[in-house]
């Protein structure tokens, strides 16, 4: 890979996308990983693969706190990988101070930021989003209020305002990653 490529400018660190549910962390991350020639990981998928259960099943049978423990383990495992990867981190990872510390020291995080109204108009609760079952807009607004400072803390100024174009978000992430 030539020295001037974005991948080399990441200094071998993991690139992690953080942000609310529905901001496109998985679709954007997958494409960014392809562009950088890196492995892509999604922390919810990691939890599901490790436990053999869906995120919804874990929330419903064991509760959110139990899910947060599994989520932290999946993030730590992904960040411990030797090869630099692209990771779509589940929206709630920033709630745990230990996760935030790990993100700051072992990764370069980029916050995909979007208006909760836009998000609620285009996403469904789905199998891995039980928290959006009842009133998605109110929930996303509350999460935005509670988490914005936390996303900002781990992203250290690297913010992409997400609109309707995935390609535009991919380009903006690649530009920030370098
Ligand atoms: C959550 C986000 C979800 C999933 C779970 C809780 C959150 O992941 O981990 O439903 O608290 O923001 P995505 O951000 O990948 O949708």
């Amino acid at each position: 890979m030539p020295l001037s490529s974005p991948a080399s400018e990441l200094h071998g660190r993991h690139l992690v996308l953080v942000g609310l549910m529905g901001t496109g962390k998985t679709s954007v991350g997958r494409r960014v990983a392809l562009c950088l020639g890196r492995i892509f990981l999604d922390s919810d998928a990691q939890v599901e693969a490790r436990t053999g259960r869906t995120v919804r099943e874990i929330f419903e049978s064991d509760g959110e706190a139990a899910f947060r423990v599994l989520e932290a383990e999946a993030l730590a495992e992904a960040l411990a990988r030797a090869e630099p990867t692209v990771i779509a981190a589940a929206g709630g990872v920033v709630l745990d101070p230990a996760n935030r510390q790990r993100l700051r020291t072992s990764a370069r995080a980029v916050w995909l930021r979007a208006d909760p109204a836009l998000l609620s108009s285009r996403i469904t609760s789905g199998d891995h989003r039980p928290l959006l079952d009842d009133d998605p807009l109110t929930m996303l607004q509350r999460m935005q209020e509670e988490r914005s400072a936390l996303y900002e803390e781990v992203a250290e100024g690297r913010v992409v305002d997400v609109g309707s174009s995935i390609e535009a978000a991919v380009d903006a992430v690649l530009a920030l990653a370098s």
Side-chain angles (χ1 to χ4, degrees), residues 44-112:
D44 283 330
Q46 295 291 106
V47 167
E48 294 190 341
R50 293 178 72 188
T51 60
R53 299 151 80 201
T54 65
V55 170
R56 177 175 293 276
E57 281 165 0
I58 299 167
F59 265 78
E60 286 173 357
S61 59
D62 302 348
E64 181 173 345
F67 172 75
R68 297 295 174 204
V69 172
L70 296 167
E71 175 179 73
E73 286 170 5
L75 179 71
E77 192 178 271
L79 292 176
R81 291 174 73 109
E83 79 277 30
T85 58
V86 176
I87 302 165
V93 295
V94 293
L95 296 170
D96 179 344
N99 288 345
R100 298 204 296 279
Q101 172 70 21
R102 274 191 200 106
L103 286 170
R104 284 197 309 270
T105 53
S106 317
R108 179 169 282 218
V110 175
W111 175 18
L112 298 191

Side-chain angles (χ1 to χ4, degrees), residues 107-174:
R108 179 169 282 218
V110 175
W111 175 18
L112 298 191
R113 181 172 61 188
D115 179 3
L118 170 76
L119 297 177
S120 83
S121 71
R122 71 178 190 193
I123 63 173
T124 51
S125 55
D127 220 22
H128 76 289
R129 292 177 178 148
L131 296 176
L132 298 186
D133 282 350
D134 298 331
D135 183 352
L137 177 57
T138 305
M139 190 56 149
L140 287 161
Q141 284 169 332
R142 190 181 313 154
M143 286 175 165
Q144 182 93 318
E145 275 165 33
E146 288 170 359
R147 298 179 182 175
S148 285
L150 307 178
Y151 292 136
E152 204 163 356
E153 176 189 327
V154 297
E156 298 171 323
R158 291 176 293 272
V159 182
V160 168
D161 280 307
V162 176
S164 51
S165 163
I166 295 228
E167 279 65 37
V170 169
D171 289 346
V173 169
L174 287 169

